[in-house]
Amino acid sequence: QAAGGGKGKQAAVATPNTGKDVPFHKFTPPKFTPPLQFVDHTVHSFAAFFMSFTYPSMTTLQFFFSLYDREQRQFLTEEVLASITIVEQVKYKAEEEKIVDPTKRGSIFKDLVEADVRSKSTFLVVRVVRVGKLQIEENEVDGVRMPVGWGVLALSEVVHFNEEESSSAFAYVDEAGTLSKSKRTPMEEELPKTPVSVYEKPYKDPVEEFVHRLAMGKTSGLSAEATVTVACRLDPLPNEHVHLRLLKRVGKKAAVAERMAPFVHTTSSQAFAIERDDLYVTLLDGMFPQCLEYSFAIITMSVRQFSGQAVNCIILGRRAEPTSEVTFTTDCHPYHRPQLHEPVVLSLKDLSNQTLHLFFQIQLFPHPEYVGPGQHLNAFLKLSTDGKFLKDGSYKLKCFTRAPGTNRMDAVYYLKSGATKTVSNGDDFICVSTCLGSSRHTQNADLNAILSWQVYPPNMLGSYIKKVSAGKLKDGDIFRIFSELMNTLLNILFSPKHETMHDTTKLAFSTLILMCLKKRDQSDSDIQLAGLNDFSCLLGYYFLSLDNSINEERFQIVQGILVESLKDYLVGVDPHLGHIAAQDWPNYDQFLGLLLADWSIDTVKDALKRNTTRRMRRKNTKNVRFTLPTAEELAAAPSRRNAVAEEEWSVQQWLDQCGMSKYYGKFKENGYTTLQDVQGLSLAAMEKMQINVPRHRKILLAESENLC
């Protein structure tokens, strides 16, 4: 149904030339199904500054930047666009190096795990497109986007780890950790420049194979069409700042590219960052075997509602403004099997609970005889039905034309049932791939019903919510929309119309809490843990972000559910904890502090037993409390780990990650020998010990304190 649209079997149309019925869509799962990835504060941000270029022709150019994994043979991130008009080039000679305006230079690629930046298989990819006239038959078609070529640069050639403080990108920050108001040289001007050769792709070669060939260094026999000069730096600013859009010196014009694989943040950025709500669509190739071999294909795509109205949501590379229609590239070498692989981003903001589909129009030159005069080939793909989106993967879309006698005023005739609406030869196809990158929308029908809770009667809604409590839904589907699902359950819990579902909803809410505490196997194919054993930190930051979103009365109820759920979980792990007096249990703030600190069950059990023993030995029991860091103290430093994890993540390693490894001796001299002790120190306490905290760390701590 996701592939075919419509209930039951996939819709089919008569094919007069073959006499067969061909489905509109054929679905193929992705070669590498990306698991849901959890990332924490250890991830990196990578900046590529587009400094200059050389290209012999004077025409409007579009430069796209993205990251590619040679080992997996797939693109890791979205593309960032820098569009250079003719007006910006007129002051240079045709073959002269042209300097790029500073507002179009910065591209930030965030959420890169350690394996990405240290691997020799990660590459920065440059794609160049020119916009101009194309000679087709006896006519010139203006405004056609034609590929110039592709270029690659290995991150291992430009990423350096152990850089001196003097070369830090944060040299513009004073000793107090505040931004200097004096005018400084742009950061990219101080970085080494690296030229990247852009090679023309043989028009019959698939794009993915060609990019892989460049990444392997096999450039013999290829023609270099342009040169792009970039300046690169790893971690030009903390990854947290990228999420919070605190781009500082990198500039407000720097475009931020997301990873295309689904992921969830487990640090404060997940609680405060702008929500991710996109769908990635890549036009892969086309097949028009009945056309002349040397034919041009100009393919245009729009996103339409069920009524046929186009939606202004297509983004052709980050930094570009949303549009309702995009025209894909057309190779200047005509070929009836065009190889494109051109991605676009669909912004799903404000498009909840709508039925959307992609609509394609294909103009073929010369005009094929089997397509009627004045007509073009069309294709479509249903994206969503009432908020539920199609599965990630590749789709082979059949091309068709409007059947004779069809109502010309009907803009969405192809969505109507019946084989008389469209005509197809059954041989023409285009192929696209899709990937949902959203924390608000889901591909699961049951979860989509819960998110759309207001349109369902309580008894029907209850059947969907019970599936959460019964564990019948995949963890990956749940964690993709964790915050949205938790907020929805709270809305149902406090809805007067759903009072009869109070216990059912509360049980589901508690189930999600316990899911975050469940110890997980690192080999789980549905979730990529990145070293995490559970998602307690994710849960902690959700409740931290909840403080200011609901009123005090309701918040007290939510606090009670959290504390009750955590107690039940601990007693389930160790039944002996059930005998501990109520006053010895941590309160809400202390439990929240444990969650934010990546708590260990063994640590909690030991603390509970230790405090109970002290209470029994002392007369004045009022002074004996469960002492743990408060939520406010922990929130001031988002990168926190429990002391129990020292075997895997030593104090010295953590200090090295923060740029303070040379002060390990001073921490040790002052008695701070565990991670919990070191991470619990305030900025003032470290300065008192004459520890010079790196400038970017000062900014991060200061901004986190302001947010909290």
Side-chain angles (χ1 to χ4, degrees):
Q1 183 177 347
K7 298 180 179 179
K9 296 182 179 180
Q10 294 183 356
V13 296
T15 55
N17 293 351
T18 62
K20 297 183 296 184
D21 283 350
V22 179
F24 272 114
H25 314 128
K26 183 179 179 181
F27 170 68
T28 303
K31 295 179 182 178
F32 303 97
T33 304
L36 182 64
Q37 188 175 53
F38 285 76
V39 296
D40 59 10
H41 72 279
T42 62
V43 291
H44 297 272
S45 62
F46 173 76
F49 297 96
F50 176 28
M51 305 301 295
S52 63
F53 68 95
T54 56
Y55 184 68
S57 300
M58 195 70 69
T59 182
T60 298
L61 294 170
Q62 296 174 335
F63 295 84
F64 296 88
F65 299 86
S66 60
L67 295 184
Y68 174 81
D69 189 317
R70 181 180 63 188
E71 184 176 342
Q72 296 187 8
R73 294 195 176 200
Q74 64 180 3
F75 288 88
L76 297 176
T77 69
E78 307 169 344
E79 288 187 323
V80 174
L81 167 66
S83 184
I84 310 297
T85 64
I86 296 178
V87 175
E88 297 175 81
Q89 305 176 51
V90 292
K91 59 183 177 181
Y92 301 98
K93 295 180 180 179
E95 297 184 358
E96 188 180 1
E97 181 182 20
K98 304 170 182 66
I99 307 301
V100 178
D101 186 280
T103 61
K104 298 182 179 181
R105 290 179 178 175
S107 301
I108 306 292
F109 302 95
K110 64 186 182 67
D111 300 318
L112 302 180
V113 298
E114 195 77 7
D116 293 330
V117 297
R118 291 189 180 273
S119 171
K120 293 184 179 180
S121 66
T122 306
F123 287 78
L124 174 69
V125 176
V126 183
R127 180 168 70 96
V128 184
V129 174
R130 67 184 179 93
V131 183
K133 295 180 180 180
L134 180 64
Q135 185 72 35
I136 299 179
E137 298 176 332
E138 298 179 355
N139 302 317
E140 277 190 344
V141 181
D142 199 7
V144 179
R145 301 177 62 245
M146 293 162 284
V148 172
W150 302 72
V152 299
L153 175 65
L155 260 64
S156 58
E157 296 181 12
V158 293
V159 167
H160 305 286
F161 287 89
N162 302 320
E163 294 188 1
E164 296 295 331
E165 180 70 17
S166 59
S167 64
S168 170
F170 295 92
Y172 66 98
V173 180
D174 60 26
E175 292 300 326
T178 57
L179 186 65
S180 174
K181 295 183 179 180
S182 60
K183 188 174 181 180
R184 301 275 182 166
T185 304
M187 179 177 68
E188 61 268 23
E189 299 288 355
E190 304 168 0
L191 299 174
K193 315 298 186 294
T194 306
V196 180
S197 297
V198 176
Y199 297 95
E200 180 183 7
K201 181 185 76 67
Y203 66 95
K204 291 186 179 181
D205 289 1
V207 171
E208 288 180 300
E209 290 185 10
F210 180 69
V211 173
H212 182 73
R213 173 184 173 180
L214 295 180
M216 295 296 293
K218 300 177 180 180
T219 58
S220 60
L222 298 178
S223 173
E225 298 295 317
T227 302
V228 172
T229 304
V230 295
C232 302
R233 183 178 176 89
L234 182 68
D235 291 330
L237 66 173
N239 198 71
E240 293 283 337
H241 281 198
V242 181
H243 282 289
L244 302 174
R245 297 301 191 266
L246 303 173
L247 297 183
K248 300 293 184 183
R249 192 184 180 196
V250 178
K252 295 181 179 179
K253 295 294 183 180
V256 179
E258 300 274 8
R259 292 186 73 102
M260 293 181 69
F263 61 88
V264 172
H265 296 282
T266 61
T267 60
S268 61
S269 60
Q270 194 268 340
F272 299 111
I274 298 175
E275 288 185 334
R276 187 185 188 198
D277 200 7
D278 300 311
L279 177 71
Y280 305 110
V281 176
T282 303
L283 179 60
L284 302 175
D285 53 30
M287 293 169 284
F288 312 104
Q290 293 193 23
C291 294
L292 296 177
E293 181 177 355
Y294 299 103
S295 296
F296 289 101
I298 299 180
I299 304 175
T300 303
M301 186 191 80
S302 60
V303 179
R304 294 185 175 186
Q305 298 175 336
F306 186 77
S307 63
Q309 181 178 356
V311 181
N312 202 47
C313 67
I314 305 175
I315 301 173
L316 185 63
R318 291 296 175 185
R319 194 185 277 115
E321 294 295 327
T323 182
S324 60
E325 185 177 86
V326 62
T327 300
F328 293 99
T329 55
T330 302
D331 203 305
C332 58
H333 299 280
Y335 187 47
H336 65 166
R337 293 179 179 270
Q339 304 296 319
L340 301 170
H341 200 285
E342 186 163 15
V344 295
V345 181
L346 306 186
S347 175
L348 303 180
K349 186 179 180 181
D350 302 325
L351 295 179
S352 299
N353 300 323
Q354 293 194 25
T355 299
L356 304 172
H357 67 275
L358 299 177
F359 180 75
F360 296 88
Q361 179 175 284
I362 304 102
Q363 301 181 61
L364 296 173
F365 302 92
H367 193 82
E369 294 181 358
Y370 61 87
V371 178
Q375 287 195 337
H376 303 295
L377 291 179
N378 298 122
F380 77 97
L381 174 65
K382 288 188 176 181
L383 294 179
S384 66
T385 302
D386 297 330
K388 176 184 174 294
F389 282 81
L390 79 173
K391 296 179 181 179
D392 296 343
S394 300
Y395 292 84
K396 188 176 181 180
L397 312 181
K398 186 198 62 180
C399 299
F400 56 86
T401 58
R402 185 191 293 266
T406 306
N407 183 4
R408 294 287 175 178
M409 301 300 293
D410 189 357
V412 289
Y413 67 95
Y414 48 87
L415 297 179
K416 309 297 175 61
S417 59
T420 60
K421 303 291 184 182
T422 60
V423 176
S424 171
N425 64 6
D427 293 329
D428 295 339
F429 291 90
I430 60 173
C431 295
V432 301
S433 66
T434 66
C435 180
L436 181 64
S438 173
S439 60
R440 300 190 59 195
H441 293 91
T442 180
Q443 297 160 323
N444 182 282
D446 297 318
L447 291 175
N448 183 66
I450 297 174
L451 296 181
S452 307
W453 62 280
Q454 292 173 315
V455 301
Y456 289 93
N459 58 341
M460 184 180 295
L461 180 62
S463 64
Y464 294 117
I465 295 179
K466 287 178 181 178
K467 292 184 179 181
V468 177
S469 307
K472 294 183 178 180
L473 303 179
K474 287 185 177 181
D475 289 2
D477 291 336
I478 289 176
F479 282 117
R480 272 195 184 198
I481 56 168
F482 180 77
S483 294
E484 189 75 12
L485 183 58
M486 293 283 277
N487 291 336
T488 300
L489 290 176
L490 287 182
N491 289 332
I492 299 172
L493 186 67
F494 297 123
S495 171
K497 296 181 180 180
H498 296 78
E499 290 183 358
T500 57
M501 297 176 52
H502 183 275
D503 292 339
T504 302
T505 307
K506 182 179 177 182
L507 179 60
F509 192 81
S510 299
T511 301
L512 294 181
I513 292 175
L514 298 181
M515 280 182 61
C516 292
L517 307 177
K518 175 185 173 184
K519 296 300 178 184
R520 299 181 182 277
D521 186 356
Q522 292 288 338
S523 63
D524 190 339
S525 60
D526 192 37
I527 295 176
Q528 187 171 332
L529 299 172
L532 299 171
N533 291 322
D534 58 56
F535 309 131
S536 55
C537 195
L538 169 67
L539 180 65
Y541 278 109
Y542 168 75
F543 277 91
L544 188 66
S545 65
L546 198 64
D547 286 0
N548 298 323
S549 59
I550 59 177
N551 61 41
E552 184 64 27
E553 181 181 354
R554 292 182 175 181
F555 189 55
Q556 292 295 331
I557 297 175
V558 175
Q559 287 183 3
I561 297 175
L562 176 64
V563 173
E564 181 181 340
S565 300
L566 296 180
K567 287 181 180 179
D568 291 343
Y569 177 73
L570 288 169
V571 173
V573 173
D574 187 350
H576 296 290
L577 296 179
H579 303 292
I580 294 178
Q583 60 268 29
D584 280 328
W585 283 96
N587 57 30
Y588 171 78
D589 284 341
Q590 291 167 333
F591 261 136
L592 188 57
L594 281 170
L595 296 175
L596 294 171
D598 273 345
W599 70 330
S600 163
I601 295 298
D602 293 333
T603 301
V604 177
K605 289 194 298 183
D606 292 342
L608 286 169
K609 292 176 180 178
R610 183 172 60 253
N611 281 1
T612 302
T613 303
R614 289 176 181 174
R615 178 179 293 281
M616 294 173 62
R617 292 178 180 176
R618 296 188 183 187
K619 295 181 180 179
N620 185 6
T621 59
K622 293 183 180 180
N623 294 329
V624 182
R625 296 297 300 161
F626 190 91
T627 55
L628 286 169
T630 65
E632 289 76 12
E633 291 171 340
L634 288 163
S639 53
R640 295 187 174 276
R641 289 175 178 262
N642 195 276
V644 176
E646 283 185 29
E647 294 180 1
E648 299 178 359
W649 192 270
S650 67
V651 174
Q652 195 161 4
Q653 286 175 310
W654 188 84
L655 292 174
D656 181 67
Q657 186 76 24
C658 297
M660 298 188 294
S661 57
K662 60 184 177 182
Y663 298 115
Y664 176 72
K666 287 195 175 183
F667 284 103
K668 193 173 181 179
E669 290 173 6
N670 287 274
Y672 299 104
T673 57
T674 67
L675 276 177
Q676 189 135 350
D677 291 336
V678 173
Q679 295 170 348
L681 288 171
S682 65
L683 184 61
M686 286 187 277
E687 289 178 344
K688 190 174 181 180
M689 291 189 293
Q690 296 182 340
I691 293 174
N692 185 20
V693 181
R695 298 180 178 91
H696 69 276
R697 194 74 189 156
K698 290 181 181 179
I699 299 175
L700 181 57
L701 290 172
E703 294 292 350
S704 299
E705 289 169 355
N706 292 337
L707 287 168
C708 297

